[in-house]
Amino acid sequence: MKILLLSSPVVQLDFDRIARLPNLGLASLAAHVDDLCTVHVADIHGLKDHREYVKKQVQDYDLVGLTAMSFQYQEALALARIAKEAGAQTVFGGYHPTLAAEEIGQSDDSQLIDYIVRGEGEATFRELTESLLAGKELKEVLGLSYHDPGSNRMVHNPARPLLDVSDIRMPNRDARLITRGFLTFDVPIDSVETSRGCTQGCKFCSINLMYGRHFRTFPIERVVEDIRDAEEHGAGSIFFPDDNITLNPKRLERLCQAIIDAGLTHLRYKTQASASGIASSKRLVDKMGEAGFDGVFLGVESINKRNLEFLGKGKMSNDAEIAVQYLHDNNIIVSTGLIGGNPDDDEEDLWENFHLARRLKVDFPIFYISTPYPKTQMRAELEEMGLVTRNDFNKYDGMHANLKTKHLSDEEVQYITWEMNARYYDLDWIRYNKVKKIYPKWFAGEIKRLVPFYAKRKLDLATGRKTPRDFFQEDLESGELCKGVV
């Protein structure tokens, strides 16, 4: 039996220019079946023609696995069709198939999907593989959805309890077919997880729907071993994709010390973190700087107390100023997630996030648009308010407006958010951002690429050939919404 696991080829283009990472989850799945069969992982999101690549590859495989978030789901179906036409069976996993399994099972989509591995996939995927190899029935495989042979309807087995982290194997990076082209700025990158889950109840987040409000940590010794393995496979930078790595700040400090003690400070580390977690300890951030961290995506979400309450974030942004200062003092690049388009937002409320990012001198602010992801508490509340305007999940990526507010249409929310991105990256930003100091080669290349683009837009504006609205439409069509000139 031969298995091919495919990453989603659909990415957010603005992020892909800064960091393109190989899929860690698929490498973890591969590690749990590589003693049973031949398994390969293809990270196809950097290919120019991913469909042609998949057409050639799937001819040699019996089972093709696909993972998808909501905005990636339709393309996953297209790839599943290619696999089915080649005679392979298909298995889906990830957030969207997990949360929408019942709806998928009742739709025509189910004809392209033989199995759905719901939630945390390692044990379920292994048991599915074992059952297929042995010709056993699937009714005992927890966390699995499959077609009942008698009725051909999709059966959803009971959910699988969360795994004991000691049972989770190290990822199999040797299973990857594509090993080049994964960079952050200009450094080869890979991911290493140190924990899974989060105990907080953000209304917009799907994590607690996947794992419940639980926080499980891997032994620090395992994390260090995984870092070494990633480096042996070519990584010069490590991204920690934990759902909330600063939920236990003292543990993160211990991890930093372990990195220092292991002599791994020559690598460059990046992670996502809460503002409150980072602001809770200057000692922690100093230790992060000593360990080699040079980038943190900071969950700030909003400066507006009303919006924080709606998002279920409490007072997390109260610490944003302290957190950014601690990080910048350690020469760590700061990216922030700032969410607009909440129910009571007007234009002034949206611009509050822009002014906060400017005041804090954030290196890469990401002006997200509140997104009603399937099955989340926020979606239920927005639907009850009548504010959800679009159900095309292709656009559910945090960058497109799929709702209106009580004061703004969805198009107005989209345009204002685009305008904030267009205005942020100006000469002031070039002067104060830390990227040019830490990654001068990458920064120079981006300036060389973008200066002609911006110059042409300025000329088009000055001569009246085009308006800001024209640029807005161009960026909507290209899918790159974090650039522009107004």
Side-chain angles (χ1 to χ4, degrees), residues 435-448:
V435 186
K436 66 179 184 293
K437 176 182 177 182
I438 299 173
Y439 294 100
K441 182 180 177 182
W442 179 88
F443 189 79
E446 282 298 288
I447 293 296
K448 183 178 179 180

Side-chain angles (χ1 to χ4, degrees), residues 453-467:
F453 172 82
Y454 288 153
K456 184 177 184 305
R457 284 199 166 181
K458 286 290 190 184
L459 182 61
D460 285 342
L461 282 174
T463 58
R465 287 197 296 263
K466 289 187 178 180
T467 68

Side-chain angles (χ1 to χ4, degrees), residues 1 14 17 76 133 227 236 314:
M1 184 176 182
D14 300 287
R17 288 194 181 279
L133 286 168
I227 292 172

Side-chain angles (χ1 to χ4, degrees), residues 127-138:
E127 289 185 19
L128 168 63
T129 302
E130 289 175 329
S131 298
L132 294 177
L133 286 168
K136 292 170 54 179
E137 291 187 6
L138 301 173

